[in-house]
């Protein structure tokens, strides 16, 4: 997707920092998950790029605490990946607890399944153990060695995500139903935290889930990889970034109160420590001609 179609994805930029820049250089799309993965996989997505000459695109991402299972020819995360072309591979990307960067150059593509927050706990017993990892998928779950080739053999578009979805559905057949149900339970609680800004404490989430705070903590660490408190804070920081994604300058004090912060100073400190620049500087960077973070 390029800049002329940017407006059609106004609701799909959460976690993508300076999204207008990304949409100017890549084709991006999303696809729904099959019913068998409801509550576990949020959506499938695809991206491809073809950058001329020595051009490079640095894309920072403040992701929700989700896992991505991907197939493609994309670089490893970081500011200075080794030069491409990159081999076709099936990868596992764990929950990222910091701003991550993908630096694109040359030509490449990637398709992936993004879990819900907590959803990947249906496939593995300890999501926390693989936080901040970028691994071969076969190192995490047992998959057919021909998965990457099966994806690449499909025409570009939504059909390429089908083999990934089929593999994930097949893997669930060997997993305890109680664990799958627990992952869906965490996902539902996390979704409430994401969309209801009045939820600001673990106690509120625990009450919503009908469990104790200590039980909720264990559920989230095991299935989502992070604590419920961390999850709430990350959602609110993404909300703040979304408010200024087009260079808008909101009432920062009012926004801080809306997002559950004690005051504007607390929001500014949290935002700056996580993203690496103040909310005001980030808003300026999102205006036409703004700088990269």
């Amino acid at each position: 997707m390029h800049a002329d179609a940017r407006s059609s994805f106004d609701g799909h930029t959460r976690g993508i920092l300076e999204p207008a820049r990304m949409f100017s250089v890549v084709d991006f799309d999303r696809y729904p998950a099959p019913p068998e993965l409801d509550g576990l996989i949020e959506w499938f997505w695809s991206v491809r790029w073809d950058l001329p000459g020595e051009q490079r695109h640095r894309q920072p991402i403040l992701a929700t605490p989700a896992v991505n299972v991907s197939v493609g020819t994309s670089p490893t995360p970081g500011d200075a990946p080794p030069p491409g072309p990159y081999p076709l591979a099936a990868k596992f990307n764990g929950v990222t607890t910091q701003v991550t960067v993908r630096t694109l150059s040359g030509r490449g593509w990637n398709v992936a399944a993004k879990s819900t927050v907590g959803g990947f706990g249906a496939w593995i017993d300890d999501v926390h153990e693989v936080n901040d990892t970028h691994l071969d998928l076969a190192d995490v779950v047992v998959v057919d060695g021909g998965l990457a080739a099966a994806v690449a053999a499909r025409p570009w578009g939504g059909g390429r995500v089908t083999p990934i979805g089929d593999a994930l559905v097949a893997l669930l057949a060997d997993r305890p139903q109680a664990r799958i149900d627990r992952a869906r339970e965490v996902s539902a609680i996390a979704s409430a935290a994401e969309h209801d800004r009045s939820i600001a404490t673990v106690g509120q989430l625990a009450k919503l889930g009908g469990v104790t705070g200590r039980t909720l903590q264990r559920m989230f660490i095991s299935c989502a990889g992070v604590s419920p408190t961390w999850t709430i804070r990350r959602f609110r920081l993404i909300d703040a970034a979304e408010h200024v994604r087009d260079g808008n300058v909101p009432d920062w004090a009012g926004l801080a109160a809306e997002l559950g912060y004690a005051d504007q100073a607390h929001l500014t400190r949290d935002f700056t420590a996580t993203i690496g620049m103040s909310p005001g500087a980030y808003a300026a960077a999102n205006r036409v001609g703004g700088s990269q973070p």
Side-chain angles (χ1 to χ4, degrees):
M1 166 163 293
H2 295 290
D4 58 348
R6 168 69 179 82
S7 62
S8 67
F9 277 87
D10 280 349
H12 293 170
T13 62
R14 284 180 65 77
I16 300 172
L17 302 181
E18 293 196 62
R21 290 183 54 254
M22 188 191 84
F23 288 119
S24 72
V25 298
V26 306
D27 292 311
F28 175 84
D29 213 338
R30 287 185 178 172
Y31 315 95
E36 300 94 326
L37 301 179
D38 184 49
L40 304 177
I41 297 299
E42 189 166 4
W43 57 65
F44 291 86
W45 56 269
S46 68
V47 63
R48 61 178 175 175
W49 63 94
D50 188 359
L51 301 180
E54 299 300 313
Q55 181 179 343
R56 292 163 68 85
H57 173 76
R58 180 183 184 275
Q59 183 58 56
I61 300 170
L62 180 68
T64 60
V67 163
N68 281 270
V69 171
S70 67
V71 171
T73 59
S74 60
T76 56
D79 278 308
Y86 304 102
L88 176 67
K91 291 291 186 178
F92 170 91
N93 298 275
V95 171
T96 56
T97 58
Q98 304 294 327
V99 171
T100 57
V101 172
R102 289 293 181 123
T103 303
L104 307 180
S105 60
R107 176 184 296 179
W109 62 271
N110 208 47
V111 296
K114 177 190 175 186
S115 77
T116 59
V117 177
F120 209 78
W123 284 276
I124 61 177
D125 293 332
D126 187 357
V127 175
H128 179 264
E129 185 179 25
V130 286
N131 280 0
D132 297 305
T133 60
H134 178 71
L135 304 169
D136 288 337
L137 182 58
D139 291 338
V140 182
V141 294
V142 178
V143 292
D144 188 325
L147 175 61
V151 171
R154 299 287 187 106
W156 181 255
R160 283 202 177 181
V161 306
T162 300
I164 301 175
D166 290 346
L168 291 173
V169 171
L171 286 167
L172 289 180
D174 295 326
R175 295 290 292 164
Q177 187 60 48
R179 179 66 182 182
I180 297 171
D181 293 342
R182 175 54 57 92
R184 284 194 165 102
E185 183 180 3
V186 172
S187 173
I189 295 171
S191 180
E194 179 174 15
H195 297 106
D196 184 351
R197 290 178 180 169
S198 69
I199 295 176
T201 68
V202 174
Q204 289 172 298
L205 277 185
K207 184 177 180 180
L208 180 67
V211 297
T212 66
R214 182 168 296 182
T215 295
L216 187 72
Q217 177 85 4
R218 291 196 298 267
M219 290 166 60
F220 266 69
I221 292 294
S222 174
C223 289
V226 291
S227 72
T229 298
W230 191 98
T231 300
I232 294 170
R233 184 177 300 118
R234 174 55 59 92
F235 284 147
R236 299 303 171 257
L237 284 174
I238 292 173
D239 287 339
E242 284 290 286
H243 269 79
V244 296
R245 68 179 185 189
D246 296 321
N248 300 321
V249 181
D251 169 10
W252 290 112
L255 179 59
E258 181 183 346
L259 297 180
Y261 282 87
D263 53 37
Q264 180 179 342
H266 281 81
L267 170 61
T268 298
R269 282 196 297 270
D270 205 3
F271 194 100
T272 303
T274 302
I275 294 180
M277 60 174 64
S278 71
Y282 178 73
N286 275 271
R287 297 184 195 116
V288 175
S291 62
Q292 296 187 41

